[in-house]
């Protein structure tokens, strides 16, 4: 083993001599590099090989490559020095590539190794290195649908090989017949391929000073995208797939026919799924359309200039879509999704995102949504705090809302505590006691029972007789909090009655 490692170190000598020749590293630094590499080589040649040893060596060389490139920035720029820079970097790049090859050969079942390998080869433009290993990667990781996506992406985006990408995705479909990820990737691939052909036709026509023929070819019209979509819905005709497919189709201006087909199916078959309307409302805000008519020109202006903002009418229409859907479906989940979307929109508007010009409109709409859900008895308990905050200190209205809320959500401690605090504000001891006793009845044996006791103790700390009666009553119960309440009672007595 020692002889083999010594041979490896000798192979590194030309590289280290170049570092010294061009004064990129001092002699001490070169000695340190040599010692570190020798140590790392020994680890790789142990009888029991470990993944971390490979990863540690790879990371060391990656860090060294980054440092070398920083040092090379001080070199004068000329044809000769540019060539020298590439040669110096190539020493390390080749070593890292070999280490990665060894690692994926030794540990082919480790997906992390493959991702590291692909990421590095992409950064260093080692495209053929990855292409020759993709099939082997899929042999070990074909059960992971994202690996088929990775292979297709690589072949098309890095190697400009749409046939190879298509072949990987078709194979992926055979392994994962109901994979939304693979079918969506295939849809994107066919539309992207058509888009690239259209751009090539436009360039060709401009060179020949002629009008481009974009509609004479079925592929350039995006018909393969329609075929792929039709294949997909035979396997996974779901609302989730259709919504994702619509978003992909909208990224391609020419795919208007496919956009109409998907939208029509969504509205006819999945009108009772809130995701349909949520997606259409999001597209309304993102693509700036009016009353359901997708304005492709405005959509693409938005893609080119993210700072563009929707109009007041478009925000209102998106709200109408969601409100109508929530009323029609009328379950707690739909109202919850609606309110959460609007809360997110308000948060983004405060950060300068969509809707930043209309904060009052967004807040008014949120209040309307909360009130509608409350009236329909479908407002989830966690949203009542937003609703109460928007009632502008109208104590009578807040009291009414919280009373209904605790009736509908008797196990929600947060609502009982809100009601209790409101009764404190009104200085209504009798009502406080009534709310407290009702709340304790519902929260008995829960982790929040004690919270109500602490709230009462802190509020009526000066009313010793009132609290003493409450504590004695609680101490006589068999609840899980009884012992803690007894201790609290003893401390209270000791502190306020002298023991």
């Amino acid at each position: 083993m020692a002889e083999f490692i010594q041979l490896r170190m000798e192979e590194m000598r030309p590289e280290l001599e170049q570092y010294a020749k061009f004064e990129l590293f001092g002699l001490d630094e070169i000695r340190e590099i040599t010692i570190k590499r020798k140590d790392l080589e020994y680890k790789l040649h142990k009888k029991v090989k470990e993944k971390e040893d490979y990863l540690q060596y790879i990371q060391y060389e990656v860090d060294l490559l980054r440092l070398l490139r920083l040092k090379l920035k001080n070199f004068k720029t000329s044809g000769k020095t540019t060539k020298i820079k590439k040669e110096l970097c190539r020493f390390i790049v080749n070593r890292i590539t070999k280490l990665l090859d060894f690692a994926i050969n030794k540990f082919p079942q480790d997906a992390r190794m493959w991702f590291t390998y692909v990421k590095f080869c992409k950064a260093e433009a080692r495209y053929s290195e990855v292409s020759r290993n993709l099939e082997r990667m899929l042999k070990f990781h074909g059960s992971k649908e994202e690996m088929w996506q990775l292979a297709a992406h690589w072949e098309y985006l890095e190697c400009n090989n749409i046939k190879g990408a298509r072949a990987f995705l078709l194979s992926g479909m055979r392994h994962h017949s109901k994979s939304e990820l693979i079918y969506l990737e295939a849809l994107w691939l066919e539309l992207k391929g058509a888009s690239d052909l259209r751009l090539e036709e436009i360039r060709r026509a401009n060179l020949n000073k002629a009008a481009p023929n974009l509609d004479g070819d079925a592929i350039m019209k995006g018909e393969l995208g329609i075929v792929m979509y039709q294949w997909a819905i035979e396997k996974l005709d779901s609302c989730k797939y259709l919504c994702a497919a619509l978003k992909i189709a909208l990224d391609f201006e020419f795919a208007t026919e496919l956009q109409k087909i998907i939208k029509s199916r969504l509205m006819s078959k999945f009108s009772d799924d809130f995701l349909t309307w949520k997606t259409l409302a999001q597209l309304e805000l993102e693509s700036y359309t009016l009353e359901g008519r997708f304005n492709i020109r405005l959509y693409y202006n938005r893609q080119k200039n993210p700072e563009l903002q929707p109009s007041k009418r478009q925000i209102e229409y998106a709200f109408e879509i969601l409100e109508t859907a929530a009323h029609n479906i009328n379950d707690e989940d739909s109202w919850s999704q609606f309110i959460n979307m609007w809360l997110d929109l308000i948060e983004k508007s405060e950060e300068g995102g969509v809707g930043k010009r209309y904060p009052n409109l967004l807040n008014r709409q949120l209040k309307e949504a909360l009130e509608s859900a409350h009236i329909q008895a479908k407002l989830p308990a966690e949203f009542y705090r937003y609703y109460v905050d928007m009632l502008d200190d109208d104590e009578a209205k807040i009291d009414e809302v919280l009373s209904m809320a605790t009736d509908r959500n008797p196990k929600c401690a947060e609502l009982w505590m809100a009601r209790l605090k409101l009764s404190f504000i009104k200085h209504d001891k009798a009502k406080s006691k009534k709310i407290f006793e009702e709340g304790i009845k519902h929260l008995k044996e829960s982790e929040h029972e004690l919270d109500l006791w602490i709230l009462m103790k802190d509020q009526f700390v000066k009313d010793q007789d009132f609290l003493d009666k409450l504590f004695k009553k609680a101490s006589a119960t068999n609840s899980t909090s009884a012992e803690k309440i007894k201790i609290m009672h003893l401390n209270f007595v000791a502190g306020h009655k002298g023991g």
Side-chain angles (χ1 to χ4, degrees):
M1 182 174 73
E3 292 82 359
F4 183 79
I5 291 173
Q6 188 58 39
L7 178 62
R8 297 276 292 170
M9 300 310 297
E10 286 296 324
E11 290 172 353
M12 298 176 194
R13 185 184 294 278
E15 171 193 353
L16 299 175
E17 288 174 348
Q18 293 282 354
Y19 294 160
K21 177 182 176 180
F22 294 104
E23 298 180 347
L24 291 165
F25 294 96
L27 292 177
D28 289 342
E29 290 175 304
I30 291 172
R31 191 177 298 110
E32 188 178 322
I33 292 170
T34 304
I35 293 169
K36 183 65 176 176
R37 282 179 172 171
K38 193 170 186 178
D39 178 55
L40 291 167
E41 286 287 344
Y42 268 106
K43 286 184 178 180
L44 291 193
H45 290 86
K46 294 185 301 185
K47 284 186 178 180
V48 179
K49 308 254 187 321
E50 297 179 12
K51 287 182 285 186
E52 292 306 318
D53 293 334
Y54 283 93
L55 291 172
Q56 186 182 3
Y57 200 165
I58 291 164
Q59 188 59 54
Y60 175 76
E61 293 294 336
V62 167
D63 292 340
L64 186 60
L65 179 62
R66 188 180 297 117
L67 177 60
L68 176 61
R69 283 175 170 157
L70 285 173
K71 288 175 175 288
L72 287 170
K73 283 186 177 181
N74 298 323
F75 260 45
K76 294 179 181 179
T77 54
S78 68
K80 185 176 180 181
T81 54
T82 300
K83 184 179 179 181
I84 292 169
K85 286 180 182 181
K86 289 182 178 178
E87 287 176 353
L88 289 170
C89 290
R90 193 176 295 121
F91 282 118
I92 303 180
V93 171
N94 287 341
R95 183 174 299 102
I96 295 171
T97 305
K98 286 179 181 178
L99 285 168
L100 285 165
D101 268 331
F102 289 143
I104 59 175
N105 281 324
K106 189 65 183 174
F107 307 102
Q109 290 85 5
D110 190 331
R112 181 177 59 158
M113 287 291 189
W114 286 100
F115 280 120
T116 302
Y117 174 72
V118 171
K119 183 179 178 181
F120 179 77
C121 288
K122 179 177 180 179
E124 299 299 329
R126 297 286 182 112
Y127 304 123
S128 61
E129 298 279 347
V130 176
S131 290
R132 66 184 173 83
N133 278 306
L134 286 175
E135 288 189 8
R136 192 157 64 92
M137 177 186 76
L138 292 169
K139 178 182 176 182
F140 289 99
H141 298 284
S143 61
K144 302 179 180 72
E145 56 187 10
E146 62 270 18
M147 289 302 201
W148 295 97
Q149 180 193 40
L150 172 65
H153 248 67
W154 183 270
E155 281 300 288
Y156 188 60
L157 295 179
E158 308 304 335
C159 303
N160 196 28
N161 180 9
I162 192 169
K163 288 183 179 179
R166 190 180 286 132
F168 277 128
L169 290 173
L170 291 173
S171 294
M173 289 174 194
R174 287 194 290 272
H175 285 79
H176 304 275
S177 61
K178 294 187 177 182
S179 168
E180 286 186 3
L181 179 70
I182 293 176
Y183 276 103
L184 288 170
E185 183 69 18
L187 176 64
W188 174 85
L189 177 69
E190 298 304 345
L191 293 176
K192 184 68 169 66
S195 177
D196 290 346
L197 286 174
R198 292 170 72 89
L199 290 173
E200 185 59 36
E201 170 63 15
I202 291 169
R203 281 194 291 269
R204 185 197 62 76
N206 288 340
L207 285 173
N208 296 329
K209 297 182 179 178
N213 181 18
L214 300 176
D215 297 322
D217 185 289
I219 295 177
M220 279 196 284
K221 288 167 64 178
E223 291 188 10
L224 281 181
I226 295 176
V227 170
M228 191 55 66
Y229 159 77
Q230 290 169 339
W231 280 11
I233 61 172
E234 288 178 8
K235 299 288 185 180
L236 37 89
D237 192 11
S238 69
C239 183
K240 183 183 175 186
Y241 168 77
L242 290 171
C243 289
L246 180 58
K247 290 178 181 178
I248 289 173
L250 278 168
D251 282 336
F252 300 93
E253 188 172 358
F254 60 88
T256 52
E257 184 63 27
L258 178 58
Q259 293 160 14
K260 290 176 184 176
I261 291 171
I262 298 173
K263 186 181 176 187
S264 175
R265 189 172 190 83
L266 263 175
M267 298 181 74
S268 62
K269 188 167 183 180
F270 296 101
S271 61
D272 59 346
D273 192 319
F274 192 77
L275 180 60
T276 294
W277 306 104
K278 183 178 178 181
T279 300
L280 294 178
Q282 286 172 330
L283 291 174
E284 185 69 29
L285 295 169
E286 293 170 6
S287 58
Y288 309 146
T289 67
L290 278 175
E291 300 185 1
R293 297 190 298 273
F294 288 113
N295 187 322
I296 298 299
R297 181 180 60 80
L298 288 176
Y299 177 78
Y300 282 93
N301 285 342
R302 169 75 169 91
Q303 305 307 304
K304 294 171 186 175
N305 183 6
E307 295 303 314
L308 284 174
Q309 290 288 311
S311 69
K312 180 181 178 183
R313 175 66 190 117
Q314 287 156 344
I315 291 174
E316 289 173 338
Y317 182 63
F319 182 84
E320 289 170 17
I321 291 174
L322 294 174
E323 187 177 41
T324 301
H327 272 290
N328 289 339
I329 300 170
N330 203 28
D331 61 22
E332 194 170 288
D333 181 62
S334 296
W335 284 106
S336 180
Q337 288 190 62
F338 175 19
I339 293 165
N340 267 324
M341 182 175 167
W342 230 247
L343 285 169
D344 290 342
L345 194 61
I346 289 171
E347 184 178 345
K348 288 174 183 175
S349 75
E350 291 170 351
E351 297 170 355
V354 173
K356 65 182 179 182
R357 291 186 296 171
Y358 307 105
N360 292 335
L361 171 64
L362 293 174
N363 281 293
R364 187 168 67 250
Q365 289 172 326
L366 175 62
K367 184 178 179 181
E368 287 178 23
L370 291 164
E371 186 165 30
S372 294
H374 170 69
I375 291 170
Q376 297 294 323
K378 294 293 189 293
L379 183 62
E382 65 266 25
F383 293 119
Y384 271 98
R385 59 191 175 94
Y386 296 106
Y387 186 28
V388 168
D389 286 345
M390 293 182 139
L391 292 177
D392 301 322
D393 298 325
D394 183 343
E395 291 182 6
K397 179 68 174 176
I398 294 171
D399 189 32
E400 176 192 334
V401 166
L402 287 176
S403 178
M404 294 174 71
T406 50
D407 287 346
R408 295 167 184 168
N409 305 277
K411 299 296 184 182
C412 180
E414 185 180 359
L415 292 174
W416 285 111
M417 292 180 78
R419 277 190 73 187
L420 204 50
K421 287 175 183 178
L422 181 64
S423 71
F424 296 162
I425 293 171
K426 292 183 173 184
H427 303 291
D428 189 337
K429 186 188 295 185
K431 187 165 187 177
S432 294
K433 184 181 178 183
K434 182 180 178 182
I435 293 170
F436 169 75
E437 289 178 342
E438 190 178 352
I440 287 295
K441 182 175 67 177
H442 290 291
L443 297 178
K444 188 177 180 180
E445 307 297 338
S446 82
E447 59 182 319
H448 298 293
E449 180 185 2
L450 198 60
D451 295 337
L452 252 60
W453 279 101
I454 293 171
L455 197 61
M456 286 293 280
K457 176 183 73 68
D458 292 344
Q459 177 64 25
F460 295 103
V461 68
K462 294 181 180 179
D463 195 333
Q464 298 176 19
D465 291 338
F466 177 69
L467 282 182
D468 198 32
K469 290 176 183 177
L470 282 178
F471 278 129
K472 285 179 180 178
K473 185 176 180 179
S475 298
T477 68
N478 294 319
S479 74
T480 54
S481 299
E483 285 302 318
K484 292 179 181 178
I485 294 168
K486 287 176 185 177
I487 295 170
M488 192 189 300
H489 182 208
L490 290 172
N491 289 335
F492 173 77
V493 172
H496 295 86
K497 293 187 177 181

